[in-house]
């Protein structure tokens, strides 16, 4: 099983932390285990509360319905759901990004 370095950044919350996340773990769950508070609601990929923006590397979403919330340009900009997102490489993710989705 691969383990990746996932860097979470949110300047507004003074957050810049790097977590080790297994390829089959969800980033939101691992952050919670480390007592990092990220926004969430459904935890099932059926809202956009947990949205992050991947700016380096990538992650895969398992389940849920992310295409309901992101169009193709938003996907290209890196918007992903962290509650169902697992890393596929080392990656850097801007957290708390739901308010920024419409800017792309
Ligand atoms: S918390 Fe609803 S999609 Fe992640």
């Amino acid at each position: 099983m691969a383990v990746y370095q996932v860097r979470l950044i949110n300047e507004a919350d003074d957050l810049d932390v790097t977590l080790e996340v297994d390829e089959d773990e969800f980033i939101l769950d691992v952050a919670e285990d480390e007592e990092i508070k990220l926004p969430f609601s459904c935890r099932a990929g059926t809202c956009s509360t947990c949205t992050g923006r991947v700016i380096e590397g990538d992650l895969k979403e398992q389940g849920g319905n992310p295409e309901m919330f992101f169009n193709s340009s938003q996907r290209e900009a890196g918007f992903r759901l962290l509650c169902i997102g697992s890393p596929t490489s080392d990656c850097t993710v801007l957290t708390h990004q739901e308010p920024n989705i419409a800017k792309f």
Side-chain angles (χ1 to χ4, degrees):
M1 178 179 307
V3 178
Y4 297 109
Q5 304 290 312
V6 177
R7 184 178 178 196
L8 302 176
I9 299 175
N10 181 354
E11 288 182 10
D13 277 7
D14 203 22
L15 174 70
D16 187 345
V17 64
T18 300
L19 306 175
E20 290 194 344
V21 183
D22 289 356
E23 62 186 345
D24 63 352
E25 289 182 306
F26 296 135
I27 291 170
L28 182 72
D29 293 339
V30 175
E32 268 188 352
D33 289 346
E34 297 296 323
E35 300 187 358
I36 298 163
K37 293 193 187 322
L38 298 181
F40 68 89
S41 180
C42 72
R43 305 189 74 109
T46 59
C47 73
S48 57
T49 306
C50 66
T51 296
R53 185 172 168 223
V54 180
I55 58 172
E56 190 178 342
D58 206 354
L59 57 85
K60 66 177 183 295
E61 293 149 319
Q62 303 179 72
N65 205 359
E67 55 279 357
M68 271 182 58
F69 306 104
F70 310 125
N71 62 30
S72 57
S73 63
Q74 290 161 341
R75 294 299 264 176
E76 273 180 35
F79 289 101
R80 304 285 186 272
L81 299 175
L82 301 185
C83 72
I84 57 167
S86 304
T88 55
S89 68
D90 291 343
C91 57
T92 300
V93 182
L94 304 179
T95 66
H96 301 71
Q97 290 298 300
E98 185 183 39
N100 295 327
I101 298 169
K103 297 177 184 170
F104 288 82

